[in-house]
Amino acid sequence: MSKIVNGASLQPRSGSAPEKIVLLLHGFGSSGSDMISLAPQWQDALPNALFLAPHAPQRCAMMGAGYQWWGLSGFAPSALAAGSASAAPAIDAFIDRKLAQYGLTESDLALVGFSQGTMMALQVGLRRPRRVAAIVGYSGMVTGTADLGHEVAVKPPVLLVHGTADPVVPVAALHMTAAQLKRIGLDVTTHVSYGVAHSVDPVGLKLGRDFIAGAFAGKE
């Protein structure tokens, strides 16, 4: 199993020991250094949270400076399911280490993903033995839907945000993902960002921030 050994982080604004963890999972060819840019915009609402944005264990052959959770050879459902399943153990092990390090539990953890990172946030977050506080997915989709009903152990609240002008992962992926998650009983909130491409706009950022804050406060 590949091990996550590096990345970017931002300590709690409060200056105290972390009471919550927000795990930010980057997209294909990106890095934790890019993904951590969300954190400063969320700190005011989540002052006691430690933000962790690890680099995926694999270097991305298609993008020299970036990383990948697995090598994207295509968008066939079977390939996506196999890829996300293969990458999950490294993230699970990283989560286990960090929760133990800070004396926290899954209820103190929120998972946030972008694109391929959304696939991983859903892959891992829905299969943890205990329920995480929330999952936020930007510009991504759920994988492994054929086995979803049998493998999902917990049902955390999920927010999905997607741009209508996304040329990489079409916005139809949001509707498919929401339908699949609702089918197995998850509480799913969605937001479509009109005219937005493969990125996150200010409205989407605010929605993600408020969703996580609400979940940590027990409101989701």
Side-chain angles (χ1 to χ4, degrees):
M1 180 185 75
S2 299
K3 184 177 181 180
I4 295 171
V5 295
N6 53 12
S9 64
L10 192 63
Q11 294 295 316
R13 173 162 287 181
S14 65
S16 64
E19 297 177 11
K20 308 292 181 185
I21 293 176
V22 178
L23 180 61
L24 304 166
L25 302 175
H26 66 76
F28 181 79
S30 186
S31 70
S33 302
D34 290 335
M35 198 68 180
I36 199 67
S37 64
L38 274 65
Q41 304 175 72
W42 288 2
Q43 275 193 308
D44 283 345
L46 301 163
N48 299 314
L50 168 66
F51 292 86
L52 298 174
H55 303 326
Q58 300 179 16
R59 281 285 184 178
C60 182
M62 296 170 62
M63 301 178 186
Y67 299 83
Q68 62 187 24
W69 297 106
W70 77 90
L72 273 176
S73 56
F75 279 88
S78 58
L80 294 177
S84 58
S86 71
I91 297 175
D92 272 319
F94 181 79
I95 289 172
D96 291 341
R97 291 200 308 274
K98 293 303 176 181
L99 292 180
Q101 179 180 348
Y102 295 104
L104 301 175
T105 68
E106 274 86 352
S107 64
D108 305 311
L109 172 69
L111 304 182
V112 181
F114 177 79
S115 194
Q116 192 183 49
T118 291
M119 300 180 198
M120 293 314 309
L122 291 168
Q123 173 74 29
V124 170
L126 298 180
R127 292 169 175 82
R128 295 285 298 177
R130 289 169 293 279
R131 180 181 181 270
V132 301
I135 300 173
V136 176
Y138 293 109
S139 305
M141 61 192 294
V142 69
T143 63
T145 56
D147 300 318
L148 207 57
H150 305 294
E151 294 181 356
V152 168
V154 290
K155 296 180 179 179
V158 176
L159 170 67
L160 302 172
V161 180
H162 214 119
T164 60
D166 192 330
V168 179
V169 182
V171 70
L174 175 146
H175 303 298
M176 178 278 289
T177 297
Q180 292 286 354
L181 298 183
K182 288 177 180 178
R183 177 179 61 85
I184 59 171
L186 270 77
D187 181 9
V188 183
T189 303
T190 61
H191 174 76
V192 174
S193 299
Y194 288 92
V196 175
H198 197 59
S199 61
V200 185
D201 69 352
V203 173
L205 281 177
K206 182 180 184 299
L207 288 170
R209 178 199 69 191
D210 293 347
F211 190 80
I212 292 171
F216 280 152
K219 297 175 183 176
E220 293 297 341

